[in-house]
Amino acid sequence: MMEAWFALLVGIFFTVAVYLMLSKFIIRVLLGVAVLGNAVNLLIFTGGRLTREVPPVIAGDAEVLAGPAANALPQALILTAIVISFSFFAFLLVLSWRAYDDLKTDNTDEMRVAEPVNEPAPPLGY
């Protein structure tokens, strides 16, 4: 039952992330990237099972687990992913700040350094 709620929450996170990343404002895109990272982490966490009854510890006289238990590998992967996504978000934040500082806008439609507005259009054919 709990996995169904987590699956619904992951779907909502992915929907919000895609909606934010399709925006033309850089701040919304950055928030979308952060929400997407959280959605992926929650998806991996849900894939590793959500049980609290049995710890993933093998008894001294046994060779395998006695029953179903939460997988510890996805939890370790999520801890690594949190650090990587935070550093990636910090890099994107600095990059967007520098773009805003140079171009005085966070609207991607107005960031026309490579295509100035007053330049003539390129030829349409030869």
Side-chain angles (χ1 to χ4, degrees):
M1 180 64 184
M2 195 65 164
E3 284 87 0
W5 288 108
F6 271 92
L8 181 66
L9 187 63
V10 166
I12 291 170
F13 274 14
F14 273 113
T15 304
V16 169
V18 169
Y19 174 75
L20 287 173
M21 289 193 313
L22 289 175
S23 177
K24 60 183 176 179
F25 297 103
I26 291 181
I27 297 300
R28 289 183 184 171
V29 173
L30 288 178
L31 290 175
V33 168
V35 171
L36 181 67
N38 289 332
V40 170
N41 289 342
L42 192 60
L43 179 69
I44 293 171
F45 182 71
T46 307
R49 279 183 259 143
L50 302 172
T51 56
R52 295 186 307 180
E53 289 81 22
V54 181
V57 176
I58 299 174
D61 57 344
E63 293 189 19
V64 294
L65 285 173
N71 193 354
L73 181 63
Q75 295 173 7
L77 290 174
I78 290 170
L79 286 175
T80 306
I82 289 170
V83 173
I84 293 171
S85 65
F86 179 73
S87 62
F88 182 64
F89 181 73
F91 171 72
L92 288 180
L93 192 62
V94 169
L95 192 66
S96 64
W97 174 258
R98 290 295 307 241
Y100 177 77
D101 197 29
D102 288 345
L103 302 173
K104 305 296 185 230
T105 184
D106 69 337
N107 189 346
T108 57
D109 289 341
E110 296 173 5
M111 294 180 174
R112 300 181 59 92
V113 174
E115 302 171 359
V117 178
N118 297 331
E119 292 282 322
L124 298 176
Y126 295 101

